[in-house]
Amino acid sequence: MMAKIESAACLGIHAYRVEIEVDVSHGLPQMVVVGLPDPSVKESKERVRSAIKNSGFRFPPEKITINLAPADVKKEGPAFDLPIALGILAASGVIEADQLKNHIFLGELALDGSLRPFKGAVVIAAGLKNNYSFVFPVKNAREGCLEKEAVIYPVNTLQEVIQFLKGEKQIEPLRSSNFSPSSTISKSNEGGKDFSEVKGQFFAKRALEIAVAGGHNLLMIGPPGSGKTMLASRIHTILPPLSFEESLAITKIYSVAGLTEDYGLIQNRPFRSPHHSISQVALAGGGSWPKPGEISLSHGGVLFLDEFPEFRRDVLEALRSPLEEGEITISRIKTQITYPARFLLVAAMNPCPCGYLSDRQKTCRCSLGQIQKYQSKISGPIVDRMDLHVEVPSSTLQTLTSEEAAENSETIRQRIIQCREIQAARYPDRLFKVNAFMRARDIKQFARPDSEGRKLIEMAMKELRLSARAYYKIFKIARTIADLAESENISSEHLAEAIQYRSLDRQWWG
Ligand SMILES: Nc1ncnc2c1ncn2[C@@H]1O[C@H](COP(=O)(O)OP(=O)(O)OP(=O)(O)O)[C@@H](O)[C@H]1O
Ligand SMILES: [Mg+2]
Ligand SMILES: [Zn+2]
């Protein structure tokens, strides 16, 4: 006898339907899985066999053929255990085909028949909720119903699924009605870090505020111990809150990667800080079954690259297109997977191998050749995409021991929230909502300086020999500075401040 059962899988953050056909026929007892399954699907045979027996059903001692369709997409993961088991029980007459209709089944089986969660539940719910309801392990059911209007039956064991399908047990579906899609998610400051702990460093803090407010990438340069890592590890405390839609978009990426915490909604903007030994695949995403990389796990948040010149060049090159496009496409022989990757890039480095070039207290021991070699590592396309360059000098003992209270993170964050609102109102029907993504024609429309400002920028162009790219960046940064000051006009003061954040144009590449 034959049975068909519906299941699903994720391709990136999109869902597709997988149909599972099970045929039980006379012949030597054996179980064959066809249709491009991954080894983890093949292993499901043993789990399914034990789970069926241990749930009190008879495992048919016959020839069982299982086909996963469409056959041209590779199927990954143990989540097909449940539909395969149900298919076998349907094909051997335990349940009727009708009882399986309009449901999508997924879940990994333990040998005793209990169900374990799988990756990507919220993505599958989002993609297929219009035509199906879902039978998911309890944990996934909670995650799946983050998606509005999805109907999900939470189950614990294979036996419970059978009782439910036969009508012997009522299960109340979970619905997402208690979530309002436009509600703003509050953000907690975990770890208790705060900008008030950083003494002095007003210039760097101001640059970080501008960077976060307008979405401008930032590079910090300074000697060892000057507080670059300390500053960066507090960025998350000034990030604006996420809307529900943004939270959901981030949760989908984490769900597919199997990284959601207890299958709930991700409510904080990500802050990712990969080590400089990271591979290109781990940073950009990929693998035989393309997983999201650090750049996608930073979507909506911050990617911090500490010790920037230590990253491999090919790894940094992989950042180029996502920095432009806000997403990354990973190509495989038959498929292409696109993951979102719109993040704020923050990097930190020493100015030279020993770290003390231009330090006020210690002298640099590096040769000119060493310095040039070191700095050339970060030259080119990636540094070109750094909007703000900030020098972070070492602090004096007097600053470090001062008792003067510094501004706390929440005060800075409130200014950023306000500034983001101003920007969102300026770009009501654009995909982008921050100044960093203005194109040349937007700059003409929204970031025109007054005549005094124009004179200033012309002079700066000549004196500092700024590139065309730097020229546009200065306008975008000045727009954010003006927005932070709640000023409609961009004044020469705003521009003068913006020019200060282009120290690399002046020093090394001028
Ligand atoms: N402005 C400051 N206020 C308070 N503490 C500071 C400040 N600057 C540095 N520190 C202290 O010095 C420590 C070292 O700073 P941090 O690790 O951030 O330096 P860094 O710039 O990242 O150095 P490296 O280039 O070696 O990575 C901090 O953990 C902190 O305790
Ligand atoms: Mg550091
Ligand atoms: Zn040096």
Tab-separated table of all heavy atoms in Angstrom, residues 464-507:
chain	number	residue	atom	x	y	z
A	464	LEU	N	42.892	68.561	1.734
A	464	LEU	CA	43.066	67.186	2.225
A	464	LEU	C	43.090	66.184	1.084
A	464	LEU	O	43.235	64.996	1.304
A	464	LEU	CB	41.926	66.825	3.203
A	464	LEU	CG	41.686	67.782	4.357
A	464	LEU	CD1	40.431	67.408	5.113
A	464	LEU	CD2	42.873	67.770	5.303
A	465	ARG	N	42.933	66.662	-0.112
A	465	ARG	CA	42.893	65.806	-1.311
A	465	ARG	C	41.933	64.623	-1.112
A	465	ARG	O	42.312	63.458	-1.200
A	465	ARG	CB	44.305	65.333	-1.652
A	465	ARG	CG	45.096	66.437	-2.337
A	465	ARG	CD	46.490	65.976	-2.667
A	465	ARG	NE	47.318	65.922	-1.479
A	465	ARG	CZ	48.400	65.163	-1.347
A	465	ARG	NH1	48.777	64.374	-2.318
A	465	ARG	NH2	49.106	65.190	-0.248
A	466	LEU	N	40.699	64.938	-0.798
A	466	LEU	CA	39.704	63.890	-0.538
A	466	LEU	C	39.263	63.239	-1.847
A	466	LEU	O	39.175	63.898	-2.876
A	466	LEU	CB	38.472	64.488	0.147
A	466	LEU	CG	38.684	65.120	1.520
A	466	LEU	CD1	37.374	65.673	2.043
A	466	LEU	CD2	39.226	64.088	2.493
A	467	SER	N	38.955	61.936	-1.758
A	467	SER	CA	38.451	61.228	-2.939
A	467	SER	C	36.966	61.535	-3.099
A	467	SER	O	36.318	62.057	-2.195
A	467	SER	CB	38.632	59.729	-2.742
A	467	SER	OG	37.794	59.306	-1.686
A	468	ALA	N	36.446	61.168	-4.283
A	468	ALA	CA	35.024	61.398	-4.548
A	468	ALA	C	34.177	60.614	-3.544
A	468	ALA	O	33.150	61.089	-3.072
A	468	ALA	CB	34.683	60.977	-5.959
A	469	ARG	N	34.649	59.429	-3.220
A	469	ARG	CA	33.884	58.616	-2.275
A	469	ARG	C	33.822	59.295	-0.903
A	469	ARG	O	32.762	59.371	-0.282
A	469	ARG	CB	34.521	57.236	-2.147
A	469	ARG	CG	33.594	56.213	-1.550
A	469	ARG	CD	34.331	54.931	-1.265
A	469	ARG	NE	34.387	54.038	-2.410
A	469	ARG	CZ	33.421	53.169	-2.710
A	469	ARG	NH1	32.334	53.099	-1.970
A	469	ARG	NH2	33.531	52.367	-3.742
A	470	ALA	N	34.965	59.821	-0.494
A	470	ALA	CA	35.022	60.521	0.795
A	470	ALA	C	34.076	61.725	0.777
A	470	ALA	O	33.385	62.003	1.762
A	470	ALA	CB	36.446	60.963	1.086
A	471	TYR	N	34.047	62.399	-0.354
A	471	TYR	CA	33.217	63.586	-0.525
A	471	TYR	C	31.748	63.262	-0.212
A	471	TYR	O	31.096	63.922	0.580
A	471	TYR	CB	33.388	64.046	-1.976
A	471	TYR	CG	32.593	65.238	-2.406
A	471	TYR	CD1	32.973	66.528	-2.039
A	471	TYR	CD2	31.474	65.081	-3.222
A	471	TYR	CE1	32.252	67.631	-2.476
A	471	TYR	CE2	30.755	66.172	-3.661
A	471	TYR	CZ	31.144	67.453	-3.288
A	471	TYR	OH	30.436	68.528	-3.720
A	472	TYR	N	31.236	62.187	-0.800
A	472	TYR	CA	29.840	61.817	-0.550
A	472	TYR	C	29.610	61.352	0.882
A	472	TYR	O	28.572	61.627	1.476
A	472	TYR	CB	29.393	60.733	-1.540
A	472	TYR	CG	29.136	61.306	-2.909
A	472	TYR	CD1	29.914	60.939	-4.002
A	472	TYR	CD2	28.123	62.238	-3.099
A	472	TYR	CE1	29.684	61.479	-5.258
A	472	TYR	CE2	27.889	62.786	-4.347
A	472	TYR	CZ	28.671	62.407	-5.425
A	472	TYR	OH	28.437	62.954	-6.648
A	473	LYS	N	30.600	60.649	1.407
A	473	LYS	CA	30.451	60.158	2.773
A	473	LYS	C	30.341	61.320	3.759
A	473	LYS	O	29.570	61.269	4.715
A	473	LYS	CB	31.640	59.270	3.157
A	473	LYS	CG	31.542	57.887	2.548
A	473	LYS	CD	32.579	56.970	3.138
A	473	LYS	CE	32.717	55.680	2.382
A	473	LYS	NZ	31.489	54.906	2.321
A	474	ILE	N	31.110	62.370	3.500
A	474	ILE	CA	31.075	63.520	4.399
A	474	ILE	C	29.663	64.122	4.435
A	474	ILE	O	29.153	64.456	5.507
A	474	ILE	CB	32.134	64.560	3.979
A	474	ILE	CG1	33.515	64.012	4.369
A	474	ILE	CG2	31.881	65.922	4.625
A	474	ILE	CD1	34.681	64.776	3.805
A	475	PHE	N	29.012	64.167	3.297
A	475	PHE	CA	27.645	64.707	3.282
A	475	PHE	C	26.678	63.829	4.074
A	475	PHE	O	25.819	64.312	4.799
A	475	PHE	CB	27.134	64.851	1.845
A	475	PHE	CG	27.731	66.028	1.138
A	475	PHE	CD1	28.486	65.858	-0.007
A	475	PHE	CD2	27.550	67.314	1.636
A	475	PHE	CE1	29.055	66.953	-0.652
A	475	PHE	CE2	28.112	68.413	0.992
A	475	PHE	CZ	28.875	68.238	-0.157
A	476	LYS	N	26.844	62.529	3.913
A	476	LYS	CA	25.942	61.619	4.646
A	476	LYS	C	26.153	61.751	6.154
A	476	LYS	O	25.195	61.795	6.926
A	476	LYS	CB	26.220	60.171	4.240
A	476	LYS	CG	25.849	59.853	2.815
A	476	LYS	CD	25.995	58.360	2.615
A	476	LYS	CE	26.264	58.016	1.177
A	476	LYS	NZ	26.374	56.585	0.962
A	477	ILE	N	27.425	61.796	6.548
A	477	ILE	CA	27.718	61.917	7.982
A	477	ILE	C	27.199	63.257	8.509
A	477	ILE	O	26.599	63.327	9.582
A	477	ILE	CB	29.235	61.772	8.243
A	477	ILE	CG1	29.711	60.386	7.795
A	477	ILE	CG2	29.561	61.977	9.710
A	477	ILE	CD1	31.218	60.303	7.597
A	478	ALA	N	27.411	64.315	7.714
A	478	ALA	CA	26.938	65.640	8.129
A	478	ALA	C	25.412	65.643	8.268
A	478	ALA	O	24.859	66.291	9.169
A	478	ALA	CB	27.391	66.694	7.119
A	479	ARG	N	24.746	64.884	7.394
A	479	ARG	CA	23.268	64.782	7.488
A	479	ARG	C	22.892	64.174	8.854
A	479	ARG	O	21.965	64.650	9.523
A	479	ARG	CB	22.758	63.931	6.324
A	479	ARG	CG	21.265	63.679	6.207
A	479	ARG	CD	20.445	64.912	5.905
A	479	ARG	NE	20.012	65.576	7.128
A	479	ARG	CZ	19.485	66.785	7.196
A	479	ARG	NH1	19.323	67.523	6.122
A	479	ARG	NH2	19.124	67.312	8.343
A	480	THR	N	23.600	63.146	9.249
A	480	THR	CA	23.299	62.507	10.533
A	480	THR	C	23.627	63.454	11.695
A	480	THR	O	22.864	63.528	12.667
A	480	THR	CB	24.080	61.181	10.676
A	480	THR	OG1	23.710	60.328	9.600
A	480	THR	CG2	23.769	60.486	11.988
A	481	ILE	N	24.732	64.157	11.576
A	481	ILE	CA	25.090	65.102	12.648
A	481	ILE	C	24.009	66.172	12.778
A	481	ILE	O	23.576	66.519	13.888
A	481	ILE	CB	26.476	65.732	12.367
A	481	ILE	CG1	27.561	64.644	12.471
A	481	ILE	CG2	26.768	66.886	13.319
A	481	ILE	CD1	28.940	65.074	11.998
A	482	ALA	N	23.525	66.667	11.644
A	482	ALA	CA	22.450	67.670	11.674
A	482	ALA	C	21.178	67.060	12.266
A	482	ALA	O	20.470	67.701	13.050
A	482	ALA	CB	22.187	68.199	10.264
A	483	ASP	N	20.885	65.804	11.914
A	483	ASP	CA	19.683	65.144	12.454
A	483	ASP	C	19.790	64.951	13.969
A	483	ASP	O	18.794	65.075	14.686
A	483	ASP	CB	19.447	63.796	11.773
A	483	ASP	CG	18.968	63.959	10.331
A	483	ASP	OD1	18.458	65.055	10.003
A	483	ASP	OD2	19.106	63.009	9.553
A	484	LEU	N	20.985	64.648	14.437
A	484	LEU	CA	21.163	64.506	15.887
A	484	LEU	C	20.913	65.840	16.578
A	484	LEU	O	20.445	65.891	17.713
A	484	LEU	CB	22.578	64.004	16.212
A	484	LEU	CG	22.801	62.492	16.121
A	484	LEU	CD1	24.287	62.163	16.141
A	484	LEU	CD2	22.086	61.755	17.253
A	485	ALA	N	21.217	66.931	15.865
A	485	ALA	CA	20.992	68.261	16.430
A	485	ALA	C	19.580	68.763	16.113
A	485	ALA	O	19.256	69.925	16.390
A	485	ALA	CB	22.028	69.231	15.871
A	486	GLU	N	18.777	67.867	15.506
A	486	GLU	CA	17.404	68.211	15.081
A	486	GLU	C	17.388	69.455	14.196
A	486	GLU	O	16.504	70.298	14.312
A	486	GLU	CB	16.490	68.363	16.293
A	486	GLU	CG	16.331	67.035	17.033
A	486	GLU	CD	15.507	67.152	18.297
A	486	GLU	OE1	14.491	67.861	18.252
A	486	GLU	OE2	15.881	66.533	19.306
A	487	SER	N	18.383	69.524	13.333
A	487	SER	CA	18.463	70.662	12.426
A	487	SER	C	18.132	70.212	11.009
A	487	SER	O	18.690	69.238	10.506
A	487	SER	CB	19.881	71.252	12.477
A	487	SER	OG	20.117	72.037	11.335
A	488	GLU	N	17.214	70.938	10.378
A	488	GLU	CA	16.829	70.619	9.009
A	488	GLU	C	17.999	70.928	8.061
A	488	GLU	O	18.283	70.182	7.135
A	488	GLU	CB	15.584	71.456	8.652
A	488	GLU	CG	15.025	71.253	7.259
A	488	GLU	CD	14.615	69.810	6.990
A	488	GLU	OE1	14.012	69.193	7.898
A	488	GLU	OE2	14.906	69.315	5.886
A	489	ASN	N	18.668	72.044	8.333
A	489	ASN	CA	19.773	72.469	7.466
A	489	ASN	C	21.100	71.874	7.911
A	489	ASN	O	21.339	71.668	9.093
A	489	ASN	CB	19.909	73.994	7.499
A	489	ASN	CG	18.666	74.633	6.920
A	489	ASN	OD1	18.064	74.115	5.977
A	489	ASN	ND2	18.264	75.740	7.520
A	490	ILE	N	21.941	71.650	6.898
A	490	ILE	CA	23.302	71.209	7.208
A	490	ILE	C	24.188	72.442	7.201
A	490	ILE	O	24.349	73.099	6.174
A	490	ILE	CB	23.784	70.193	6.169
A	490	ILE	CG1	22.917	68.926	6.266
A	490	ILE	CG2	25.247	69.847	6.379
A	490	ILE	CD1	23.309	67.832	5.323
A	491	SER	N	24.735	72.757	8.348
A	491	SER	CA	25.552	73.963	8.455
A	491	SER	C	27.024	73.621	8.279
A	491	SER	O	27.405	72.440	8.257
A	491	SER	CB	25.340	74.607	9.817
A	491	SER	OG	25.943	73.778	10.796
A	492	SER	N	27.850	74.653	8.171
A	492	SER	CA	29.287	74.397	8.012
A	492	SER	C	29.854	73.731	9.264
A	492	SER	O	30.811	72.974	9.195
A	492	SER	CB	30.036	75.692	7.700
A	492	SER	OG	29.648	76.695	8.597
A	493	GLU	N	29.205	73.990	10.397
A	493	GLU	CA	29.643	73.333	11.634
A	493	GLU	C	29.465	71.808	11.539
A	493	GLU	O	30.341	71.039	11.913
A	493	GLU	CB	28.751	73.838	12.764
A	493	GLU	CG	29.439	74.269	14.017
A	493	GLU	CD	28.407	74.883	14.947
A	493	GLU	OE1	28.071	76.081	14.764
A	493	GLU	OE2	27.903	74.138	15.804
A	494	HIS	N	28.302	71.417	11.039
A	494	HIS	CA	28.045	69.979	10.872
A	494	HIS	C	29.053	69.367	9.908
A	494	HIS	O	29.581	68.281	10.147
A	494	HIS	CB	26.622	69.743	10.354
A	494	HIS	CG	25.553	70.298	11.235
A	494	HIS	ND1	24.424	70.927	10.749
A	494	HIS	CD2	25.451	70.346	12.590
A	494	HIS	CE1	23.670	71.328	11.763
A	494	HIS	NE2	24.272	70.983	12.897
A	495	LEU	N	29.315	70.073	8.825
A	495	LEU	CA	30.274	69.557	7.844
A	495	LEU	C	31.684	69.482	8.425
A	495	LEU	O	32.397	68.505	8.203
A	495	LEU	CB	30.291	70.462	6.611
A	495	LEU	CG	29.228	70.137	5.568
A	495	LEU	CD1	29.115	71.273	4.564
A	495	LEU	CD2	29.550	68.827	4.851
A	496	ALA	N	32.041	70.524	9.164
A	496	ALA	CA	33.394	70.545	9.742
A	496	ALA	C	33.574	69.358	10.675
A	496	ALA	O	34.621	68.705	10.686
A	496	ALA	CB	33.619	71.855	10.487
A	497	GLU	N	32.539	69.041	11.437
A	497	GLU	CA	32.650	67.878	12.316
A	497	GLU	C	32.783	66.597	11.484
A	497	GLU	O	33.607	65.735	11.779
A	497	GLU	CB	31.450	67.772	13.275
A	497	GLU	CG	31.674	66.627	14.269
A	497	GLU	CD	30.539	66.377	15.246
A	497	GLU	OE1	29.588	67.187	15.329
A	497	GLU	OE2	30.611	65.338	15.933
A	498	ALA	N	31.969	66.500	10.434
A	498	ALA	CA	32.000	65.291	9.599
A	498	ALA	C	33.390	65.070	8.999
A	498	ALA	O	33.874	63.935	8.937
A	498	ALA	CB	30.947	65.392	8.497
A	499	ILE	N	34.044	66.145	8.576
A	499	ILE	CA	35.369	66.024	7.958
A	499	ILE	C	36.389	65.431	8.941
A	499	ILE	O	37.273	64.680	8.557
A	499	ILE	CB	35.838	67.405	7.422
A	499	ILE	CG1	34.956	67.816	6.242
A	499	ILE	CG2	37.305	67.368	6.993
A	499	ILE	CD1	35.091	69.271	5.834
A	500	GLN	N	36.184	65.722	10.219
A	500	GLN	CA	37.103	65.194	11.236
A	500	GLN	C	37.115	63.675	11.307
A	500	GLN	O	38.039	63.077	11.833
A	500	GLN	CB	36.676	65.670	12.624
A	500	GLN	CG	36.944	67.098	12.914
A	500	GLN	CD	36.525	67.357	14.346
A	500	GLN	OE1	36.955	66.670	15.274
A	500	GLN	NE2	35.658	68.334	14.526
A	501	TYR	N	36.037	63.058	10.853
A	501	TYR	CA	35.966	61.595	10.948
A	501	TYR	C	36.535	60.911	9.710
A	501	TYR	O	36.215	59.770	9.420
A	501	TYR	CB	34.507	61.150	11.168
A	501	TYR	CG	33.920	61.709	12.442
A	501	TYR	CD1	32.852	62.597	12.393
A	501	TYR	CD2	34.451	61.368	13.679
A	501	TYR	CE1	32.316	63.130	13.560
A	501	TYR	CE2	33.929	61.896	14.847
A	501	TYR	CZ	32.863	62.778	14.778
A	501	TYR	OH	32.356	63.297	15.924
A	502	ARG	N	37.336	61.636	8.946
A	502	ARG	CA	37.971	61.026	7.779
A	502	ARG	C	39.477	61.058	7.937
A	502	ARG	O	40.198	61.437	7.018
A	502	ARG	CB	37.541	61.773	6.497
A	502	ARG	CG	36.046	61.726	6.209
A	502	ARG	CD	35.537	60.344	5.921
A	502	ARG	NE	36.244	59.705	4.817
A	502	ARG	CZ	35.989	58.472	4.413
A	502	ARG	NH1	35.070	57.740	5.008
A	502	ARG	NH2	36.672	57.950	3.422
A	503	SER	N	39.966	60.629	9.090
A	503	SER	CA	41.395	60.782	9.365
A	503	SER	C	42.267	59.957	8.416
A	503	SER	O	43.404	60.315	8.156
A	503	SER	CB	41.700	60.440	10.818
A	503	SER	OG	41.361	59.109	11.071
A	504	LEU	N	41.774	58.856	7.910
A	504	LEU	CA	42.602	58.049	7.019
A	504	LEU	C	42.851	58.745	5.691
A	504	LEU	O	43.887	58.574	5.066
A	504	LEU	CB	41.960	56.680	6.767
A	504	LEU	CG	41.919	55.734	7.947
A	504	LEU	CD1	41.486	54.357	7.498
A	504	LEU	CD2	43.265	55.648	8.629
A	505	ASP	N	41.886	59.533	5.229
A	505	ASP	CA	42.093	60.276	3.990
A	505	ASP	C	43.259	61.237	4.166
A	505	ASP	O	44.058	61.444	3.279
A	505	ASP	CB	40.837	61.091	3.623
A	505	ASP	CG	39.633	60.198	3.400
A	505	ASP	OD1	39.794	59.156	2.761
A	505	ASP	OD2	38.544	60.551	3.884
A	506	ARG	N	43.315	61.814	5.357
A	506	ARG	CA	44.362	62.805	5.625
A	506	ARG	C	45.723	62.153	5.775
A	506	ARG	O	46.677	62.539	5.147
A	506	ARG	CB	44.056	63.540	6.928
A	506	ARG	CG	42.920	64.509	6.831
A	506	ARG	CD	43.035	65.553	7.909
A	506	ARG	NE	42.987	64.996	9.256
A	506	ARG	CZ	41.862	64.753	9.915
A	506	ARG	NH1	40.702	65.016	9.350
A	506	ARG	NH2	41.865	64.247	11.124
A	507	GLN	N	45.768	61.103	6.622
A	507	GLN	CA	47.076	60.603	7.013
A	507	GLN	C	47.761	59.725	5.988
A	507	GLN	O	48.910	59.892	5.696
A	507	GLN	CB	46.928	59.787	8.287
A	507	GLN	CG	46.715	60.673	9.480
A	507	GLN	CD	46.824	59.851	10.737
A	507	GLN	OE1	46.588	58.662	10.730
A	507	GLN	NE2	47.174	60.496	11.810
